[in-house]
Amino acid sequence: MLTINSIKNGIVIDHIKAGFGMKIYKYLELDKADYSVALIMNAESSKLGKKDIIKIENNLEMDFAVLGFIDPNITIDIIKDEKIYKKIKLKLPTRVENIIKCKNPRCVTSVEKNIPHIFNLVDEKTGEYRCAYCDQIYQDSSL
């Protein structure tokens, strides 16, 4: 089994749905990082079967709403002196802004520039969101 050592100070993004680790890695632009980053894919998990994990040897400012939108089952562990200092459990955000683009060609966001794309969560089980302006439905099929 592969062993990745603990980090002294930083962030561990855990319980990522298998295959989604790279999506988060790219979103956080960790390929441009000048500090240690470990992306572990398809690790064994008693809860999920397989999961991805990202360990970051640095404290980053990150948008938890976006991470919750990508995968609502993620947990974030803030590490200080090789111990978990704080644990954050994510969930689907009730509102997202400029994360999803409305695909309705008649929506005001398609016609006017500089209007934020706002979607509100309407069904947590299916991950269904609706555009705040035109009610266009967005449903992530990967949830």
Side-chain angles (χ1 to χ4, degrees):
M1 181 168 182
L2 177 67
T3 303
I4 304 289
N5 293 335
S6 64
I7 59 176
K8 187 168 176 105
N9 293 299
I11 299 170
V12 175
I13 305 172
D14 199 359
H15 302 103
I16 304 168
K17 187 185 294 185
F20 281 55
M22 186 58 78
K23 192 174 191 178
I24 293 169
Y25 183 88
K26 287 179 181 177
Y27 169 75
L28 295 175
E29 297 182 339
L30 295 173
D31 56 328
K32 298 175 184 167
D34 61 352
Y35 40 84
S36 297
V37 176
L39 170 59
I40 304 147
M41 299 178 74
N42 297 314
E44 291 183 27
S45 168
S46 57
K47 289 182 183 177
L48 303 172
K50 299 256 183 212
K51 68 178 180 178
D52 292 353
I53 305 166
I54 299 175
K55 291 186 173 189
I56 306 166
E57 184 86 48
N58 193 4
N59 288 311
L60 298 175
E61 292 294 322
M62 60 178 77
D63 186 352
F64 294 141
V66 172
L67 294 181
F69 178 74
I70 294 171
D71 184 352
N73 299 309
I74 289 175
T75 55
I76 308 280
D77 296 331
I78 310 297
I79 309 297
K80 287 192 178 177
D81 299 320
E82 295 187 22
K83 293 187 177 12
I84 296 174
Y85 169 75
K86 185 176 181 183
K87 189 180 261 308
I88 303 165
K89 177 81 173 107
L90 299 185
K91 60 181 183 174
L92 280 173
T94 55
R95 175 189 157 148
V96 293
E97 187 172 321
N98 293 327
I99 297 172
I100 310 168
K101 301 271 186 222
C102 187
K103 296 188 181 196
N104 180 353
R106 293 179 298 212
C107 182
V108 68
T109 60
S110 297
V111 179
E112 297 289 329
K113 292 186 185 220
N114 301 322
I115 294 180
H117 292 258
I118 299 171
F119 281 77
N120 297 306
L121 181 65
V122 292
D123 190 339
E124 194 169 347
K125 289 182 181 174
T126 63
E128 183 178 289
Y129 284 84
R130 287 189 190 262
C131 176
Y133 306 104
C134 71
D135 288 332
Q136 175 75 25
I137 296 172
Y138 172 87
Q139 184 173 356
D140 188 356
S141 60
S142 63
L143 294 176

